[in-house]
Amino acid sequence: MDQAKRRQRATLAAQGGSGWIDPATKAIIPPIYLTTTYIRDTDNQYRTGYSYGRPHNPTNEHPEALLAALEGGAACLTFASGMAAATSVFLALKPGDHVVAPNIMYWGLRKWLQSYAADWGLAIAFVDGADSAAIAAAVQPGRTKLVWIETPANPTWPVTDIAAAAAAAHKAGALLAVDSTVATPILTRPIELGADIVMHSATKYLNGHSDVVAGALVAARQDAFWERIAMIRTGNGAILGPLEAWLLLRGMRTLALRVERACRSAATLAAHFADHPRIAGVLYPGLPFHPGHAIAARQMSGGFGGMLSIRVAGGEDAAIAAAARVELWKRATSLGGVESLIEHRASVEGAGSPAPPDLLRLSVGIEDPGDLIDDLDQALASGN
Ligand SMILES: Cc1ncc(COP(=O)(O)O)c(C=O)c1O
């Protein structure tokens, strides 16, 4: 992704899409259609295309059009949460279908796959998502219907080669879906690299202000599988509410600025902690010694994201104690907001978590990076 393309995306986001103007009032900001239903025409038709609030709402079409354009996709649907978006992809498969997924991924979805989806009948092979050969070896031609990846992936930030995963999936006749929540379309465009579906927890960077729970899917093509996903959104009642959709569009206007700042600050923090007496390790794809750095450098452009993890010398107790001493960072789960968050990830994920017990996950916001470093330094130092 070259610089000119990145600039185009920043402009597109700032204008909330293609510069929509209300034809009736010339307002530059779309209205919120707080309606559940629509008048039927006297000849019994619904000529506007709108009939009821569960299948669609015109408010949602604005962030959907913007995200489809940012991702270079053919269509987008917004969902009530990232989980509603992700699970709709799996529910569009059929019981008995084989799926390949990474063993390091957003823990909530991994748990759902291991429990609900397995009970429902999906056969899921969990593999090392950073190992393209392992993905290629796990797909079963004719049987595997979906390869799911997340890159960079929670909470240790392994990087998956999207183009290689797409090639492996397609060779077996499967689709590739990418959870691109952490990369955002500012840094990575999975569809250009061969992905069929891109998923976002729009709760995170897309909205960016920790005040909306939302999800989105973007499709490379509007095919029968995509129609099935749309049917599932309607049938399961998983659409995003119009008020949240409106807030999401407002948040997305500053996406490029926020992501650029978060990336720069995260890189500064990673460099600071890479050689820090109280830190046993820094996990950040932007560091040259990160195992996924070369692939990340190839498929991410403009930065390596605002997420990193630090491993605290002294182990789990020292990590939890350091998190307890922060004053500026917010000790909270989630990521991608303007305020920086810190959390002891193993405590969140519980038994079976691949998060090392000494790991603190950092979501770097847009505060002054010096303030963020000073606060972490004092939190780490005062453990004497
Ligand atoms: C990478 C990733 N994917 C998916 C989700 C699920 O999104 P939501 O919480 O909006 O349902 C999360 C939430 O933390 C996430 O971090």
Side-chain angles (χ1 to χ4, degrees):
M1 203 195 306
D2 62 22
Q3 222 181 357
K5 280 186 180 169
R6 250 199 347 268
R7 280 210 310 270
Q8 281 166 13
R9 258 183 285 301
T11 301
L12 202 59
Q15 299 216 345
S18 50
W20 179 91
I21 307 286
D22 186 343
T25 65
K26 303 277 190 269
I28 65 165
I29 301 297
I32 311 174
Y33 289 93
L34 287 173
T35 186
T36 57
T37 194
Y38 303 82
I39 297 289
R40 194 187 270 276
D41 296 331
T42 50
D43 60 357
N44 220 28
Q45 305 298 305
Y46 276 116
R47 264 188 204 77
T48 61
Y50 302 110
S51 57
Y52 184 54
R54 182 152 44 75
H56 38 222
N57 183 299
T59 320
N60 299 44
E61 290 166 12
H62 292 275
E64 288 171 350
L66 174 55
L67 187 55
L70 292 174
E71 289 287 5
C76 171
L77 289 170
T78 46
F79 288 80
S81 67
M83 279 298 285
T87 56
S88 295
V89 177
F90 292 98
L91 293 173
L93 301 171
K94 303 250 170 70
D97 284 351
H98 183 253
V99 169
V100 175
N103 46 29
I104 295 185
M105 66 189 298
Y106 170 59
W107 75 289
L109 184 58
R110 188 179 64 240
K111 249 176 61 178
W112 185 88
L113 289 172
Q114 287 167 336
S115 53
Y116 182 91
D119 291 348
W120 184 64
L122 291 183
I124 305 160
F126 289 94
V127 301
D128 178 356
D131 182 351
S132 300
I135 295 176
V139 292
Q140 300 177 15
R143 182 163 176 247
T144 305
K145 295 294 187 286
L146 181 74
V147 174
W148 180 275
I149 59 171
E150 176 181 326
T151 183
N154 268 292
T156 50
W157 316 115
V159 175
T160 301
D161 184 331
I162 299 173
H170 295 162
K171 199 169 162 205
L175 299 173
L176 176 72
V178 181
D179 181 340
S180 199
T181 298
V182 168
T184 82
I186 302 302
L187 306 177
T188 305
R189 300 230 298 172
I191 289 173
E192 278 177 354
L193 299 167
D196 302 286
I197 292 180
V198 179
M199 177 256 152
H200 287 278
S201 167
T203 314
K204 318 299 185 198
Y205 288 101
L206 294 182
N207 179 63
H209 294 76
S210 308
D211 53 11
V212 169
V213 172
L217 295 175
V218 180
R221 297 167 307 280
Q222 280 185 283
D223 55 12
F225 190 71
W226 184 245
E227 292 311 318
R228 201 168 149 80
I229 288 174
M231 187 187 79
I232 287 165
R233 185 182 79 162
T234 299
N236 286 1
I239 194 173
L240 184 65
L243 185 57
E244 287 78 5
W246 188 91
L247 282 167
L248 175 58
L249 181 72
R250 186 173 69 170
M252 285 173 74
R253 288 175 186 270
T254 55
L255 177 66
L257 272 181
R258 288 184 285 103
V259 168
E260 281 163 21
R261 169 74 170 212
C263 284
R264 269 204 313 275
S265 296
T268 304
L269 263 78
H272 175 79
F273 288 113
D275 190 21
H276 190 287
R278 305 255 166 192
I279 296 297
V282 179
L283 307 173
Y284 184 59
L287 290 172
F289 51 80
H290 184 282
H293 179 70
I295 298 164
R298 215 163 53 227
Q299 70 189 21
M300 301 181 84
S301 163
F304 294 91
M307 296 301 301
L308 73 151
S309 296
I310 50 177
R311 299 187 63 177
V312 178
E316 178 165 23
D317 290 348
I320 293 173
R325 285 189 293 262
V326 293
E327 289 167 7
L328 183 64
W329 290 73
K330 302 283 175 259
R331 205 168 31 258
T333 196
S334 199
L335 60 97
V338 291
E339 63 289 296
S340 296
L341 306 181
I342 184 168
E343 73 174 341
H344 181 248
R345 198 61 199 165
S347 298
V348 174
E349 300 194 7
S353 165
D358 58 2
L359 180 145
L360 294 176
R361 190 181 81 172
L362 306 179
S363 171
V364 180
I366 64 168
E367 303 95 333
D368 180 81
D371 285 347
L372 294 174
I373 287 176
D374 288 350
D375 189 35
L376 282 175
D377 275 348
Q378 70 74 21
L380 290 161
S382 43
N384 289 321

